[in-house]
């Protein structure tokens, strides 16, 4: 495969032509938070946390879906990008309900990592405090909608790798939410194979294994 | 590389079929959606996702009578919001609550292309000019 050379924040790196720019960032030792991206799943470029500035481009581009090409010069750390990235993380925290102190994923959460990365010390937008549910109908796993950031990793892993097609996004705008089957309790969806792949790829504590939850907190169905 | 499409394409008939079924039954029940999924060999979750995304699809039975207020640009400029509030009070229902009072419901609709009549009010499917309060 042809190799291209490009510049990431003044570091020159070489990567195969056409790979996502994220790979060039990795080669340059630059880490950006990536919440919707997963290396084994199709890209959706939904979270916009990986936006970079490409010289000559009229707008910032998501590194997870932009192809590497010869001679590109990109920046990942301009004040505009930093401010935008931080605002996105703040909006994610304000959109759902994220009491980290009582979350199974506390300390092992990609949303927390993103907050740490952007140096979030307070959320400058008003919290929505939405009214959401917990789905405890599955014998092995739990879905806590409060902590779901709608990244759709679970939807894609179930569609593309397990082939069970359990998940989808329903509604639109601020009412968007994750559904199982025909918007039914997860435990009643026949096609679920209980493989746990959705739990494995969930960046937050929205999808968790019962065995990881302190004993007795949730009744078993 | 990751696969390009999650399930065999094209699911292009889905929206058309949903329209058909809604016309037949007045709304799209779970049973209808499950049948559509089976017929088109699509995941039920995907069918529900599509049906719930579009405002034109109703997932609950409609009330016998329905009043729509156009919230398109022209109608908004000519007082559609005030009209909606007045109408909600008059009918005693909440705006965009599909259950209404069991007999009437009041909903906002997007531009109907009848901007010359703005603000437009739709009574049981018939658009007409309304007086902004
Ligand atoms: S449950 Fe987890 S993986 Fe699924 S959309 Fe929500 S945050 Fe993403
Ligand atoms: S990781 Fe690129 S947009 Fe989410």
């Amino acid at each position: 495969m042809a190799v291209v050379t490009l510049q990431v924040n003044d570091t020159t790196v070489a990567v195969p032509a056409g790979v996502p720019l994220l790979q060039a960032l990795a080669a340059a030792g630059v880490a950006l938070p990536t919440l919707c991206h997963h290396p084994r799943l199709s890209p959706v470029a939904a979270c916009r946390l990986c936006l970079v500035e490409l010289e000559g481009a009229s707008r910032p581009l998501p590194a997870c879906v932009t192809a590497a090409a010869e001679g590109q010069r990109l920046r990942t750390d301009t004040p505009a990008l930093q401010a935008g990235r931080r605002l996105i993380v703040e909006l994610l925290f304000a959109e759902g309900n994220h009491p980290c102190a009582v979350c199974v994923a506390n300390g092992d959460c990609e949303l927390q990592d993103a907050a740490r990365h952007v140096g979030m010390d307070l959320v400058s937008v008003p919290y929505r405090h939405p009214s959401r549910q917990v789905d405890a109908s599955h014998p092995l796993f739990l879905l806590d909608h409060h902590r779901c950031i709608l990244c759709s990793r679970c939807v894609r892993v179930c569609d593309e790798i397990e082939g069970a097609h359990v998940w989808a996004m329903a509604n639109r705008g601020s009412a968007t939410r994750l559904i199982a089957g025909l918007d039914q309790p997860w435990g009643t969806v026949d096609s679920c194979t209980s493989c746990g792949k959705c739990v494995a790829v969930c960046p937050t504590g929205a999808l968790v294994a019962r065995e990881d939850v302190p004993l007795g907190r949730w009744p078993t169905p | 590389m990751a696969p390009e499409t999650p399930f065999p394409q094209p699911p292009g008939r889905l929206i058309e079929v949903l329209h058909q079924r809604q016309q037949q039954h007045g709304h799209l029940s779970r049973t209808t959606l499950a049948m559509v999924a089976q017929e088109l060999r699509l995941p039920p979750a995907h069918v529900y996702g599509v049906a719930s995304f579009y405002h034109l699809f109703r997932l609950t039975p409609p009330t016998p009578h329905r009043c729509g207020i156009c919230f398109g640009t022209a109608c908004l400029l000519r007082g559609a919001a005030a009209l909606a509030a007045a109408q909600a009070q008059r009918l005693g229902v909440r705006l965009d609550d599909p259950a209404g009072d069991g007999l009437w419901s009041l909903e906002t609709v997007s531009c109907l292309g009848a901007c010359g009549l703005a603000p437009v009010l739709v009574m049981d499917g018939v658009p007409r000019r309304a007086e902004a309060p």
Side-chain angles (χ1 to χ4, degrees), chain A residues 143 147-154 169 178 202-204 206-207:
Chain A
L143 165 59
R147 307 181 195 274
C148 175
I149 56 168
L150 304 170
C151 69
S152 84
R153 281 190 196 176
C154 54
M169 292 296 164
L178 179 67
C202 181
T204 71
L207 284 166

Side-chain angles (χ1 to χ4, degrees), chain A residues 20 39-43 159-161 164-173 177 179-184, chain B residues 1-8 30-31 33-34 37 43-50 52-55 59:
Chain A
R40 300 288 299 279
L41 303 177
S42 63
D159 280 345
E160 298 168 9
I161 297 190
H165 308 291
V166 169
W167 304 108
M169 292 296 164
N171 304 326
R172 59 156 77 195
R177 75 202 150 81
I179 54 156
L182 284 173
D183 190 19
Q184 66 202 71
Chain B
M1 262 328 244
E4 291 283 306
T5 50
F7 36 78
R30 299 279 167 102
T31 326
L33 292 175
H46 176 77
V47 172
Y48 191 96
V50 171
S52 62
F53 182 84
Y54 294 102
H55 292 313
L59 303 186

Side-chain angles (χ1 to χ4, degrees), chain A residues 18-26 30-54 60-68 72 74-76 85 88 151-153 156, chain B residues 1-2 4:
Chain A
V19 300
L21 282 180
L22 272 184
Q23 264 190 39
L25 299 193
V30 175
L32 287 187
T34 50
L35 285 176
C36 65
H37 174 79
H38 189 285
R40 300 288 299 279
L41 303 177
S42 63
V44 288
C47 74
R48 315 308 277 183
L49 277 170
C50 69
L51 287 184
V52 295
E53 284 178 12
L54 192 60
L61 296 167
C64 61
V65 292
T66 307
Q72 281 167 331
L74 46 115
R75 301 224 68 96
T76 63
R85 217 172 279 140
I88 291 172
C151 69
S152 84
R153 281 190 196 176
R156 284 173 285 148
Chain B
M1 262 328 244
E4 291 283 306

